[in-house]
Amino acid sequence: MPDNKRSQTITQGVQHAPSRAMLRAVGFGDDDFNKPIVGVANGYSTITPCNKGLNDLSLKAESALRKAGAMPQMFGTITVSDGISMGTEGMKYSLVSREVIADSIETCVQGGSMDGVIAIGGCDKNMPGAMIAIARMNVPAIFVYGGTIKPGHYKNQDLTVVSVFEAVGQHSAHKIDDEELLQIERHACPGAGSCGGMYTANTMSSAFEAMGMSLPYSSTMSAEDGEKLISAGQSAEALVHAIKKQILPRDIITRQSIENAIAVIMAVGGSTNAILHFLAIAHAAEIEWNIDDFERIRAKVPVLCDLKPSGRYVAADLHQAGGIPQVMKMLLNHGLLHGDCITISGQTIAEVLKDIPDTPRAGQQVIRQWDNPMYAQGHLAILKGNLSTEGCVAKISGIKNPKITGPARVFESEETCMAAILARKIQPGDVVVIRYEGPKGGPGMREMLSPTAALIGEGLGDSVGLITDGRFSGGTYGMVVGHVAPEAFVGGTIALVQEGDTITIDAEQRLLQLNVPDDVLAQRRAAWQPPQPRYTRGVLSKYAKLVSSASAGAITG
C-alpha cells in the first residue's frame, strides 16, 4: 500500500475512533482508512471566467483519485479577478490573495493530515499561491491549470481582455467611437478560461510545467476543450503514483528547476509578475534565489515566441504550435535547461522531452526557429540605480526606444495618474511616476494595466516612460518599470521625486536613475515624513504589517 502515514495518524487506533466516525459521514468505508487521503484544492468560482470551469476539473480529479486507490477530500479556496478589479480599490486584494490561497491550502492539508494535494486553479494568484503552499508543506502535490480562454474575434482581429483596456485609451484619443469600444468589449472574452495572451496566468502555468510540477502540454490547453478534463484525470493518477513513490515537491522544486522555469518564461515572453512569484516560491522551498538571478538567465535566453501582449498570438496558438514541450526541447538542445531535473511523473526533463522534435514545425509562426528569435536575449530586465537600489523590473520587449530621459510627472496613486492620461495631460517624453502603490504603501501592490494600456491606446507607448513601486499586469508592455524598491512608503528614493525632475530609464545599461544631486536628495530625505497607513484594520492592514519588499517577493512569512 502507499506510504500514507500522515492520514493514518487520524484514522488508526482506538483513540481515533471519533475521527473515523466523522470520516464515515463523508463517505469513508472500512477499507478506505488504509488509503492515502488526498486533498483536492478547488479554486472554482463564478467571480471570473478564469475559474468558471474549475469545478468540472475538480470532480474529474476526484473521480480519478478514487479509481487510482486514493480517498479524495475536496475543499475550496478563493480567487480575486485581476481583470475585473483592475483600476479599483479592489485590486489591492489581488496580491494579498496569493498569501490567502497559500495559507488556506496549507491549513486544510496540514490540518487534515492529508497525504497529498492536487491544486486546481485558474486566475493569476491561484498558481503562485498554490505553489507556495506546496513548497512549504512538502507533501506530494501536483498543479492543474484551469486553462486559457480562447481569443475573441472582431473585424478579423484576435481579441483579449487587454484589447479592451487599450480601446479605452483609443477612445479617449478619439481614435475609435463609442460603438467601436462597445463591440470590442462585447467580443473580447468569449467564454471560460484565463486571459489569453502570455499574461500572468499563462506565464505561471507554463513555468510550472517547465519546473515539472504539472503534466506536459497541460499549461497551454484551452479551458473549454475536452483534453483539459482528460489532463485533470491524468494529473490525479500521476499524483497517486508520486504518493506511492514519495516524490516530494522539494525533490522537484530545486534551484535548477527554477532556472528551467525562468528560462521558459524568458523564451515565451512571460509576465513581470513571474519574478515576484518565483522569489516567493523559492523562499517557501528554502532555496537560495535572488533578484539578480533573473538577470543572469535573461542574458543568455532568447525570446522565441511571438505572443501577446507585445506579439501577435495567444496561448491557444502556442498549444497548437507544439506547446511548452517544444520550447523546452529547443532550450535543452542549446544547453539552457537542466535535463536531469525530476518531474512529478518520476521521469527527468530529458526523458519527458525525448520524443519532442528538435525544431518547431514548418508552417507556423508562433514559435520561431532558433536562429530567428524575436529577441536575442530575454525581455524581463532587472534595473538598478539611485531610484531603485534593491532593483526593479522592466519588460523590454516590443519597445522601440530602450532609453528615455525626461521630466517626472508625479502621481500619488493610480487613479490620479489615470485621470491625467485620459485628460490628455501626459506628453511625449514624459516619465510618469506612480508611487505609494507598493506592497506596504498600497497596500497590495496594484497592477497598473489601466494607465499603461491607456498610454498604448493613445499612441504614447514608445514615447512615455512609466515607473511605479506597484506592479504591472502580464498584459502590459511599453517603456514601463515596476516593483521599484525600496518603495515610497518606507522612504525609498521614489518618494523623493518632485514634479519636473529628470529621470533616466536605460534598459540597455539596466539603469533607473533620478538625475538630482546627492546633497539635494539628502535634504529631501531629511524633510520626508512617512504617511499614515491607508488601512488600520482587516486583511490589508495585517498584510501591510507583514509584507516584505518587492525585491524579496513581497512575502509575508
Side-chain angles (χ1 to χ4, degrees):
M1 292 301 295
D3 180 358
N4 57 312
K5 294 178 181 177
R6 287 166 52 86
S7 61
Q8 285 178 359
T9 63
I10 62 165
T11 59
Q12 292 186 353
V14 173
Q15 71 272 30
H16 293 297
S19 300
R20 294 197 299 275
M22 294 188 73
L23 289 169
R24 289 182 192 279
V26 296
F28 277 64
D30 288 342
D31 294 338
D32 295 328
F33 294 108
N34 292 317
K35 298 175 182 177
I37 294 177
V38 178
V40 180
N42 181 1
Y44 167 73
S45 75
T46 57
I47 289 173
T48 170
C50 314
N51 290 40
K52 179 183 174 184
L54 298 189
N55 200 49
D56 291 339
L57 300 183
S58 297
L59 292 171
K60 179 67 175 180
E62 182 183 53
S63 174
L65 286 167
R66 290 185 190 278
K67 290 180 181 178
M71 282 304 292
Q73 288 195 302
M74 191 182 297
F75 59 90
T77 186
I78 66 149
T79 199
V80 170
S81 172
D82 290 7
I84 295 172
S85 66
M86 196 74 67
T88 74
E89 196 76 358
M91 186 64 192
K92 293 181 177 181
Y93 289 86
S94 170
L95 189 58
V96 176
S97 76
R98 185 188 75 177
E99 309 306 301
V100 176
I101 292 164
D103 291 350
S104 68
I105 293 175
E106 177 189 352
T107 299
C108 281
V109 173
Q110 300 289 60
S113 297
M114 296 175 188
D115 299 295
V117 61
I118 180 168
I120 303 174
C123 201
D124 293 4
K125 306 309 175 295
N126 297 178
M127 280 156 283
M131 201 57 63
I132 288 167
I134 286 167
R136 279 185 201 160
M137 298 182 298
N138 202 34
V139 300
I142 192 168
F143 185 83
V144 174
Y145 180 41
T148 184
I149 196 172
K150 293 184 177 180
H153 301 285
Y154 179 64
K155 288 188 174 180
N156 297 317
Q157 290 189 340
D158 284 351
L159 300 178
T160 70
V161 68
V162 176
S163 306
V164 188
F165 284 94
E166 293 177 2
V168 171
Q170 293 171 327
H171 184 267
S172 72
H174 307 294
K175 295 180 179 180
I176 62 173
D177 60 17
D178 292 350
E179 179 62 22
E180 186 88 352
L181 176 60
L182 178 61
Q183 292 304 321
I184 292 171
E185 176 223 304
R186 283 175 170 170
H187 291 87
C189 298
S194 298
C195 299
M198 191 47 68
Y199 310 146
T200 302
N202 285 322
T203 297
M204 295 307 295
S205 69
S206 298
F208 289 177
E209 181 180 327
M211 194 165 58
M213 287 300 299
S214 296
L215 294 187
Y217 296 103
S218 65
S219 66
T220 52
M221 292 175 179
S222 293
E224 295 182 331
D225 286 350
E227 63 179 345
K228 191 76 252 186
L229 273 175
I230 295 170
S231 179
Q234 292 170 338
S235 297
E237 294 167 2
L239 176 58
V240 174
H241 172 78
I243 293 171
K244 291 177 180 178
K245 298 295 184 181
Q246 280 300 285
I247 301 172
L248 303 178
R250 293 197 193 182
D251 298 328
I252 301 169
I253 306 171
T254 64
R255 183 174 173 83
Q256 289 71 33
S257 74
I258 291 179
E259 289 183 344
N260 287 349
I262 303 307
V264 167
I265 289 167
M266 297 295 177
V268 300
S271 167
T272 54
N273 284 307
I275 290 179
L276 200 69
H277 297 327
F278 269 97
L279 285 165
I281 291 165
H283 173 81
E286 300 182 278
I287 293 168
E288 183 180 340
W289 188 265
N290 63 56
I291 196 168
D292 295 320
D293 286 314
F294 297 97
E295 181 63 24
R296 173 174 56 84
I297 296 171
R298 184 206 67 79
K300 58 185 180 181
V301 178
V303 179
L304 296 172
C305 298
D306 186 2
L307 295 167
K308 291 179 181 291
S310 58
R312 295 178 291 170
Y313 299 102
V314 295
D317 298 319
L318 174 60
H319 190 63
Q320 295 302 316
I324 295 304
Q326 181 64 78
V327 176
M328 292 178 69
K329 185 61 174 285
M330 296 168 72
L331 295 173
L332 180 67
N333 287 347
H334 290 84
L336 295 173
L337 285 190
H338 300 282
D340 57 348
C341 287
I342 194 172
T343 70
I344 187 64
S345 69
Q347 293 178 294
T348 65
I349 290 289
E351 289 169 340
V352 169
L353 300 177
K354 179 172 63 71
D355 296 326
I356 303 298
D358 291 330
T359 59
R361 64 174 172 79
Q364 59 80 37
Q365 297 178 308
V366 184
I367 306 173
R368 304 281 282 266
Q369 299 295 329
W370 185 264
D371 59 1
N372 184 34
M374 294 290 292
Y375 307 96
Q377 293 180 313
H379 64 300
L380 300 180
I382 305 301
L383 278 54
K384 292 187 176 181
N386 70 348
L387 246 178
S388 188
T389 55
E390 293 179 12
C392 55
V393 183
K395 182 186 280 189
I396 58 176
S397 57
I399 58 172
K400 296 178 181 177
N401 303 313
K403 179 178 179 179
I404 184 173
T405 297
R409 303 297 309 280
V410 182
F411 301 93
E412 309 300 321
S413 70
E414 178 185 4
E415 287 86 352
T416 54
C417 176
M418 188 65 179
I421 293 170
L422 294 180
R424 311 298 302 281
K425 293 181 179 179
I426 304 300
Q427 303 299 318
D430 287 346
V431 178
V432 173
V433 178
I434 306 176
R435 64 190 179 191
Y436 295 101
E437 290 284 6
K440 288 182 177 294
M445 210 177 176
R446 287 192 291 183
E447 293 180 349
M448 304 292 140
L449 179 58
S450 295
T452 59
L455 289 171
I456 294 290
E458 289 189 9
L460 297 173
D462 292 315
S463 59
V464 169
L466 188 151
I467 71 170
T468 180
D469 51 8
R471 296 181 294 131
F472 294 116
S473 163
T476 294
Y477 64 103
M479 179 56 84
V480 296
V481 182
H483 309 194
V484 171
E487 63 175 292
F489 189 81
V490 300
T493 306
I494 191 172
L496 310 180
V497 180
Q498 295 183 1
E499 186 84 7
D501 289 346
T502 64
I503 292 174
T504 295
I505 306 171
D506 190 336
E508 292 177 342
Q509 298 299 316
R510 312 289 173 260
L511 178 68
L512 182 64
Q513 187 76 15
L514 176 61
N515 301 309
V516 172
D518 290 345
D519 60 335
V520 175
L521 288 179
Q523 292 172 10
R524 293 181 186 178
R525 189 175 300 282
W528 178 80
Q529 294 292 323
Q532 292 297 311
R534 287 172 167 161
Y535 289 83
T536 57
R537 299 181 65 188
V539 68
L540 292 181
S541 174
K542 289 187 284 188
Y543 181 85
K545 291 173 183 176
L546 292 172
V547 70
S548 76
S549 170
S551 64
I555 57 175
T556 57

